[in-house]
């Protein structure tokens, strides 16, 4: 049983690890100052591709549940993250976003009846501290709207994770993933047109390869892995894995872009990894599994655009990082 859980955790961890490479792809391969366009191209084609492959459309209540989950997990999350990214230095946005595991733990206790333990709370606080050591800079300045947006993004994503656990889709995993990516991508289209205008008319080979990576690997594959992990793991355990993104982004920036990696950042990475291990080794209390109607059966067993400046990469759970304005 333990080895099965470890395997699920390790496979699921691949998703936020891949999302940590988004900073490198965005800054080195994509057109400048088009973060929401990257988010749309990343999500919408991936969702339509999965729907075409599975040939499965929502039925019954899933015609409204899929858009709600898509808005929370994909569209709404990235839109709020986009606002935070433009109004906050990268390190602050990442540090505020790191409260997501704590928010998820609280929502899981309130909506799913999961037990909120001191161990979880301390692990969540350690995770926030580790991310702050990893990416926060001494000259960072606060902006009230940006902080609210970053916190809102964490809350929206936490709600999406918890509701995804409460609303168990009867459809295949890839179909459910496709519904959410499509819904989230469609939600981002008008936001993108209003904030960034019409998309560019010319794309380089690097642009095409970068978009293809984000779409096929960074969305279709990784979100399927992420939602598969959500079906097998408690929501709080899953949310802690999202803290891997800033760790991977920092390592990639150091290895591929020649960015500095200070001893303090290395300590922050170690603290983040320790909080992940502690959170994953806590044994969850069994609870009834909910059906697709949101109600628990009488009997039966329990059953992914962030701004990142050049010195402080700030990935989230599947976001597209933004560039520093000149």
């Amino acid at each position: 049983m333990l080895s099965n859980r470890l395997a699920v955790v390790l496979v699921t961890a691949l998703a936020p690890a891949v999302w940590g490479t988004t900073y490198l792809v965005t800054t080195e391969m994509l057109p400048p100052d088009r973060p929401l366009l990257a988010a749309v191209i990343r999500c919408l084609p991936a969702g339509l591709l999965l729907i075409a492959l599975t040939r499965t459309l929502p039925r019954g209540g899933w015609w409204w549940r899929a858009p709600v989950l898509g808005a929370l997990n994909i569209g709404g999350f990235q839109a709020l993250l986009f606002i935070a990214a433009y109004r906050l230095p990268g390190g602050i946005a990442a540090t505020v976003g790191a409260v997501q595991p704590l928010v998820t733990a609280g929502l899981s206790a309130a909506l799913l009846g999961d037990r909120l333990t001191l161990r979880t709370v301390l692990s969540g606080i350690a995770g926030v501290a580790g991310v702050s050591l990893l990416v926060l800079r001494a000259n960072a300045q606060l902006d009230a709207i940006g902080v609210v947006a970053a916190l809102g993004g964490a809350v929206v994503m936490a709600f999406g994770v918890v509701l995804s656990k409460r609303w168990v889709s009867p459809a295949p995993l890839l179909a459910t993933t496709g519904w959410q990516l499509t819904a989230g991508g469609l939600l981002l289209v008008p936001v993108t047109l209003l904030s960034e205008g019409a998309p560019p008319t010319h794309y380089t080979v690097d642009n095409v390869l970068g978009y293809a990576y984000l779409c096929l690997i960074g969305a279709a594959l990784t979100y399927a892995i992420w939602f598969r992990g959500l079906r097998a793991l408690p929501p709080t355990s899953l949310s802690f894995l999202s803290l891997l993104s800033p760790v991977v982004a920092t390592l990639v920036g150091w290895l591929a872009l020649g960015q500095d990696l200070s001893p303090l950042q290395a300590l922050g990475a170690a603290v983040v990894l320790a909080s992940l291990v502690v959170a994953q080794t806590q044994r969850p209390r069994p609870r009834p599994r909910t059906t697709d109607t949101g109600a628990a059966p009488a009997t039966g067993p329990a059953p992914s655009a962030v701004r990142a400046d050049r010195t402080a990469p700030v990935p989230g759970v599947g976001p597209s990082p933004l560039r520093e304005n000149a």
Side-chain angles (χ1 to χ4, degrees), residues 50-59 170-172 174-176 178-179:
L50 292 179
I51 291 176
L53 290 175
T54 58
R55 299 183 180 181
T56 304
L57 294 177
R59 294 182 181 180
L174 291 182
T176 305
W179 301 344

mmCIF file of all heavy atoms in Angstrom, residues 50-59 170-172 174-176 178-179:
data_model
loop_
_atom_site.group_PDB
_atom_site.id
_atom_site.type_symbol
_atom_site.label_atom_id
_atom_site.label_comp_id
_atom_site.label_asym_id
_atom_site.label_seq_id
_atom_site.Cartn_x
_atom_site.Cartn_y
_atom_site.Cartn_z
ATOM 1 N N LEU A 50 -7.712 16.510 -26.451
ATOM 2 C CA LEU A 50 -8.126 15.410 -25.573
ATOM 3 C C LEU A 50 -9.592 15.045 -25.788
ATOM 4 O O LEU A 50 -9.960 13.863 -25.755
ATOM 5 C CB LEU A 50 -7.881 15.791 -24.113
ATOM 6 C CG LEU A 50 -6.415 15.926 -23.689
ATOM 7 C CD1 LEU A 50 -6.312 16.319 -22.223
ATOM 8 C CD2 LEU A 50 -5.653 14.632 -23.942
ATOM 9 N N ILE A 51 -10.439 16.048 -26.026
ATOM 10 C CA ILE A 51 -11.850 15.756 -26.305
ATOM 11 C C ILE A 51 -11.987 14.990 -27.616
ATOM 12 O O ILE A 51 -12.777 14.038 -27.724
ATOM 13 C CB ILE A 51 -12.669 17.062 -26.344
ATOM 14 C CG1 ILE A 51 -12.752 17.669 -24.943
ATOM 15 C CG2 ILE A 51 -14.071 16.809 -26.889
ATOM 16 C CD1 ILE A 51 -13.464 19.010 -24.898
ATOM 17 N N ALA A 52 -11.190 15.402 -28.623
ATOM 18 C CA ALA A 52 -11.246 14.705 -29.911
ATOM 19 C C ALA A 52 -10.761 13.261 -29.786
ATOM 20 O O ALA A 52 -11.309 12.355 -30.421
ATOM 21 C CB ALA A 52 -10.402 15.461 -30.939
ATOM 22 N N LEU A 53 -9.733 13.036 -28.968
ATOM 23 C CA LEU A 53 -9.192 11.686 -28.807
ATOM 24 C C LEU A 53 -10.163 10.784 -28.045
ATOM 25 O O LEU A 53 -10.313 9.601 -28.362
ATOM 26 C CB LEU A 53 -7.849 11.739 -28.076
ATOM 27 C CG LEU A 53 -6.671 12.334 -28.854
ATOM 28 C CD1 LEU A 53 -5.438 12.427 -27.966
ATOM 29 C CD2 LEU A 53 -6.364 11.494 -30.090
ATOM 30 N N THR A 54 -10.811 11.334 -27.026
ATOM 31 C CA THR A 54 -11.708 10.507 -26.203
ATOM 32 C C THR A 54 -13.125 10.449 -26.760
ATOM 33 O O THR A 54 -13.888 9.543 -26.422
ATOM 34 C CB THR A 54 -11.771 11.065 -24.769
ATOM 35 O OG1 THR A 54 -12.224 12.422 -24.799
ATOM 36 C CG2 THR A 54 -10.398 11.010 -24.119
ATOM 37 N N ARG A 55 -13.489 11.438 -27.583
ATOM 38 C CA ARG A 55 -14.836 11.512 -28.168
ATOM 39 C C ARG A 55 -15.913 11.401 -27.093
ATOM 40 O O ARG A 55 -16.914 10.701 -27.250
ATOM 41 C CB ARG A 55 -15.030 10.414 -29.219
ATOM 42 C CG ARG A 55 -14.065 10.515 -30.387
ATOM 43 C CD ARG A 55 -14.345 9.445 -31.427
ATOM 44 N NE ARG A 55 -13.421 9.530 -32.553
ATOM 45 C CZ ARG A 55 -13.444 8.732 -33.618
ATOM 46 N NH1 ARG A 55 -14.366 7.765 -33.686
ATOM 47 N NH2 ARG A 55 -12.575 8.884 -34.585
ATOM 48 N N THR A 56 -15.665 12.100 -26.004
ATOM 49 C CA THR A 56 -16.590 12.073 -24.876
ATOM 50 C C THR A 56 -16.927 13.494 -24.462
ATOM 51 O O THR A 56 -16.031 14.281 -24.168
ATOM 52 C CB THR A 56 -15.971 11.336 -23.666
ATOM 53 O OG1 THR A 56 -15.581 10.020 -24.073
ATOM 54 C CG2 THR A 56 -16.969 11.231 -22.526
ATOM 55 N N LEU A 57 -18.225 13.811 -24.453
ATOM 56 C CA LEU A 57 -18.689 15.116 -24.023
ATOM 57 C C LEU A 57 -19.356 14.998 -22.655
ATOM 58 O O LEU A 57 -19.800 13.918 -22.255
ATOM 59 C CB LEU A 57 -19.686 15.683 -25.040
ATOM 60 C CG LEU A 57 -19.123 16.023 -26.423
ATOM 61 C CD1 LEU A 57 -20.242 16.495 -27.345
ATOM 62 C CD2 LEU A 57 -18.028 17.074 -26.330
ATOM 63 N N PRO A 58 -19.423 16.104 -21.933
ATOM 64 C CA PRO A 58 -20.081 16.053 -20.616
ATOM 65 C C PRO A 58 -21.546 15.654 -20.732
ATOM 66 O O PRO A 58 -22.193 15.901 -21.752
ATOM 67 C CB PRO A 58 -19.936 17.501 -20.104
ATOM 68 C CG PRO A 58 -18.837 18.097 -20.899
ATOM 69 C CD PRO A 58 -18.873 17.442 -22.238
ATOM 70 N N ARG A 59 -22.058 15.035 -19.687
ATOM 71 C CA ARG A 59 -23.461 14.654 -19.628
ATOM 72 C C ARG A 59 -24.069 15.129 -18.318
ATOM 73 O O ARG A 59 -23.386 15.222 -17.303
ATOM 74 C CB ARG A 59 -23.615 13.129 -19.729
ATOM 75 C CG ARG A 59 -23.197 12.550 -21.069
ATOM 76 C CD ARG A 59 -23.431 11.047 -21.091
ATOM 77 N NE ARG A 59 -23.023 10.459 -22.365
ATOM 78 C CZ ARG A 59 -23.128 9.159 -22.649
ATOM 79 N NH1 ARG A 59 -23.614 8.324 -21.740
ATOM 80 N NH2 ARG A 59 -22.745 8.714 -23.830
ATOM 81 N N PRO A 170 -17.691 10.671 -13.807
ATOM 82 C CA PRO A 170 -17.843 9.298 -14.268
ATOM 83 C C PRO A 170 -17.137 9.042 -15.595
ATOM 84 O O PRO A 170 -17.030 7.898 -16.032
ATOM 85 C CB PRO A 170 -19.362 9.165 -14.432
ATOM 86 C CG PRO A 170 -19.805 10.552 -14.786
ATOM 87 C CD PRO A 170 -18.901 11.482 -14.025
ATOM 88 N N ALA A 171 -16.650 10.106 -16.225
ATOM 89 C CA ALA A 171 -16.011 9.974 -17.539
ATOM 90 C C ALA A 171 -14.548 9.577 -17.388
ATOM 91 O O ALA A 171 -13.961 9.688 -16.308
ATOM 92 C CB ALA A 171 -16.119 11.292 -18.295
ATOM 93 N N PRO A 172 -13.921 9.117 -18.472
ATOM 94 C CA PRO A 172 -12.486 8.810 -18.428
ATOM 95 C C PRO A 172 -11.660 10.036 -18.038
ATOM 96 O O PRO A 172 -12.072 11.175 -18.256
ATOM 97 C CB PRO A 172 -12.173 8.357 -19.863
ATOM 98 C CG PRO A 172 -13.478 7.894 -20.415
ATOM 99 C CD PRO A 172 -14.515 8.766 -19.779
ATOM 100 N N LEU A 174 -8.898 11.365 -19.253
ATOM 101 C CA LEU A 174 -8.485 12.268 -20.324
ATOM 102 C C LEU A 174 -9.641 13.136 -20.797
ATOM 103 O O LEU A 174 -9.445 14.309 -21.151
ATOM 104 C CB LEU A 174 -7.907 11.476 -21.495
ATOM 105 C CG LEU A 174 -6.562 10.789 -21.251
ATOM 106 C CD1 LEU A 174 -6.087 10.082 -22.517
ATOM 107 C CD2 LEU A 174 -5.510 11.797 -20.781
ATOM 108 N N ALA A 175 -10.843 12.588 -20.797
ATOM 109 C CA ALA A 175 -12.010 13.380 -21.200
ATOM 110 C C ALA A 175 -12.263 14.498 -20.199
ATOM 111 O O ALA A 175 -12.492 15.655 -20.582
ATOM 112 C CB ALA A 175 -13.234 12.481 -21.325
ATOM 113 N N THR A 176 -12.239 14.161 -18.913
ATOM 114 C CA THR A 176 -12.457 15.168 -17.879
ATOM 115 C C THR A 176 -11.383 16.253 -17.929
ATOM 116 O O THR A 176 -11.668 17.446 -17.774
ATOM 117 C CB THR A 176 -12.455 14.510 -16.489
ATOM 118 O OG1 THR A 176 -13.427 13.461 -16.462
ATOM 119 C CG2 THR A 176 -12.795 15.517 -15.410
ATOM 120 N N GLY A 178 -9.745 17.143 -20.611
ATOM 121 C CA GLY A 178 -10.033 17.923 -21.805
ATOM 122 C C GLY A 178 -11.140 18.934 -21.589
ATOM 123 O O GLY A 178 -11.057 20.074 -22.057
ATOM 124 N N TRP A 179 -12.178 18.530 -20.857
ATOM 125 C CA TRP A 179 -13.264 19.476 -20.572
ATOM 126 C C TRP A 179 -12.749 20.699 -19.822
ATOM 127 O O TRP A 179 -13.086 21.834 -20.159
ATOM 128 C CB TRP A 179 -14.348 18.804 -19.718
ATOM 129 C CG TRP A 179 -14.988 17.597 -20.315
ATOM 130 C CD1 TRP A 179 -14.947 17.194 -21.621
ATOM 131 C CD2 TRP A 179 -15.753 16.616 -19.613
ATOM 132 N NE1 TRP A 179 -15.642 16.024 -21.774
ATOM 133 C CE2 TRP A 179 -16.151 15.642 -20.568
ATOM 134 C CE3 TRP A 179 -16.144 16.459 -18.287
ATOM 135 C CZ2 TRP A 179 -16.920 14.534 -20.219
ATOM 136 C CZ3 TRP A 179 -16.910 15.356 -17.936
ATOM 137 C CH2 TRP A 179 -17.295 14.404 -18.896
#
